[in-house]
Amino acid sequence: MIGSFKTNSPLNIIFLLIYGVVLKFYAFLHPHIPVAQATDGFLYHRFLNFLAPFGKEVPIIYPIIVLILILSQAISFTNFINNQKLLPKATYLPAMAYVLITSLFPEWWQLSSALIINSLLAWVWAMLSNLFNNPRPKTLVFNAGLVISLTSFLYFPSICFILMVFFALISMRPFNLSEWIIAILGLLTPYYFLFAVLFLAGNWNPLTYLPSLSVSIPKFQYDMWAWVAIVLLIIPFLISGFYIQRNILKMLIQVRKSWSLILVYLIIALLIPFINFASSFEYWILCALPFAAFHAYTYFYAEKKWILLVIHWLFIIFILTLNIWLPAVKG
């Protein structure tokens, strides 16, 4: 199966669909009705309220939406990676890795604001990766700031991804103050229009849309399944680091910078859930896309075929076992 995903065949989309359904079959048998958390943005609250009447009657709509989001994110992110030539040839390995990774935690099988945001963040990363030697950098940084601002309407702490824009400006562009100002203007623009609408509608209460921020260390009830999932995330990531270091001098400068940007993306995604944290792994799905890129690098460059097979089947066996184990625990 890995051999198929190493190609750029459209048939892989069907395989991704099969993976998505099989690896999340518990979510389809026992649909989870999402509940917005205090840290979620106002737009996500309204989205769930919009879905609620239909979701109450047909709750399977939620896992279907999740599957559509995951497959669309997997395919679009893979296209971005292929366009940036982060791998020597076009493959569907990042898509396969993303579907596997998003099946590791039961919280990642559920609809959440962070899952929706992944669609936008993949686009932001693609825009920022194009900054190097781009003739119209101001358009890109404005759009990136704008999209990040929109993500905060769904999950407010995601506004911290503006740091990814700043890193891209530092690493890919000579210093130009106007580009930094334009990035900040892009970040502020959606809030400008939001507050303008509120003021004109006579509903001026901006603090409702600007939640307070706090940073603290979440306290989780780690079980064996969570630890195994974390190990499965980390091992291919560490292996990819070895291969990237070995090949880094062979990479084009833009490719090197794009990998650096993915690493920064991952670091920010790992840290953001510490802001207004919830005691679950729900918001750490933000790190799934950058992890998928590194896992794909491992799948592509691993010299021993048995390593690929072992990693791949460990994922499959663990996820299927988790699907079978959950009903026994939840009764």
Side-chain angles (χ1 to χ4, degrees):
M1 188 60 72
I2 296 178
S4 174
F5 285 115
K6 277 190 173 182
T7 68
N8 198 30
S9 170
L11 286 175
N12 287 321
I13 296 175
I14 298 175
F15 294 143
L16 288 174
L17 176 61
I18 295 171
Y19 266 48
V21 173
V22 172
L23 297 179
K24 295 177 174 63
F25 70 83
Y26 176 87
F28 288 93
L29 296 177
H30 307 275
H32 171 79
I33 298 178
V35 177
Q37 306 295 322
T39 190
D40 289 322
F42 72 93
L43 192 59
Y44 182 65
H45 282 260
R46 296 189 179 185
F47 177 62
L48 290 187
N49 290 337
F50 171 76
L51 288 178
F54 186 68
K56 186 176 181 181
E57 299 295 328
V58 189
I60 199 172
I61 188 65
Y62 294 111
I64 290 175
I65 292 174
V66 169
L67 182 62
I68 292 172
L69 283 171
I70 287 175
L71 292 181
S72 63
Q73 291 163 4
I75 294 169
S76 61
F77 189 60
T78 296
N79 288 335
F80 293 148
I81 287 178
N82 290 338
N83 291 338
Q84 293 297 326
K85 302 188 185 304
L86 266 63
L87 295 172
K89 68 175 185 178
T91 77
Y92 270 84
L93 288 174
M96 181 198 75
Y98 185 65
V99 172
L100 289 174
I101 288 170
T102 53
S103 302
L104 285 175
F105 297 94
E107 294 91 341
W108 293 2
W109 307 348
Q110 303 165 3
L111 182 62
S112 66
S113 57
L115 175 61
I116 299 172
I117 286 170
N118 276 350
S119 298
L120 299 174
L121 292 177
W123 185 25
V124 169
W125 172 80
M127 286 191 286
L128 296 178
S129 293
N130 285 321
L131 270 178
F132 188 73
N133 288 336
N134 193 288
R136 300 178 61 189
K138 293 179 181 178
T139 301
L140 289 179
V141 295
F142 179 84
N143 289 340
L146 182 75
V147 173
I148 289 171
S149 184
L150 292 175
T151 67
S152 70
F153 288 2
L154 293 163
Y155 174 55
F156 187 72
S158 66
I159 201 168
C160 296
F161 275 104
I162 191 65
L163 296 175
M164 188 164 66
V165 178
F166 295 155
F167 176 82
L169 287 172
I170 292 171
S171 63
M172 296 192 179
R173 304 288 305 173
F175 179 75
N176 186 330
L177 181 60
S178 63
E179 293 175 3
W180 287 70
I181 294 174
I182 286 173
I184 295 172
L185 287 176
L187 187 71
L188 296 177
T189 296
Y191 281 94
Y192 170 79
F193 284 105
L194 172 64
F195 293 154
V197 170
L198 292 176
F199 179 77
L200 294 174
N203 188 25
W204 181 250
N205 190 12
L207 294 180
T208 304
Y209 302 90
L210 295 172
S212 60
L213 296 178
S214 62
V215 179
S216 53
I217 299 176
K219 296 180 180 179
F220 295 113
Q221 295 295 326
Y222 290 100
D223 55 22
M224 177 192 69
W225 300 99
W227 283 115
V228 173
I230 291 170
V231 169
L232 287 174
L233 267 179
I234 292 175
I235 289 177
F237 170 71
L238 294 178
I239 295 174
S240 73
F242 167 76
Y243 287 121
I244 289 174
Q245 285 298 316
R246 192 175 69 174
N247 297 323
I248 196 165
L249 295 179
K250 302 175 186 177
M251 297 179 184
L252 297 174
I253 295 176
Q254 182 172 353
V255 174
R256 265 184 265 168
K257 292 181 181 293
S258 293
W259 275 112
S260 298
L261 188 61
I262 287 185
L263 182 59
V264 171
Y265 178 0
L266 175 61
I267 293 171
I268 296 172
L270 288 171
L271 294 177
I272 278 183
F274 287 92
I275 303 173
N276 297 0
F277 74 90
S279 57
S280 73
F281 291 98
E282 177 181 346
Y283 296 105
W284 263 282
I285 198 172
L286 291 170
C287 70
L289 281 172
F291 264 129
F294 287 107
H295 284 211
Y297 204 89
T298 296
Y299 287 128
F300 189 90
Y301 275 102
E303 296 166 349
K304 298 184 183 298
K305 187 176 181 180
W306 67 266
I307 295 178
L308 301 180
L309 294 175
V310 168
I311 294 175
H312 181 259
W313 283 106
L314 280 176
F315 268 87
I316 298 293
I317 293 170
F318 170 78
I319 294 166
L320 292 179
T321 304
L322 186 60
N323 276 268
I324 296 169
W325 173 79
L326 276 176
V329 171
K330 296 190 175 183

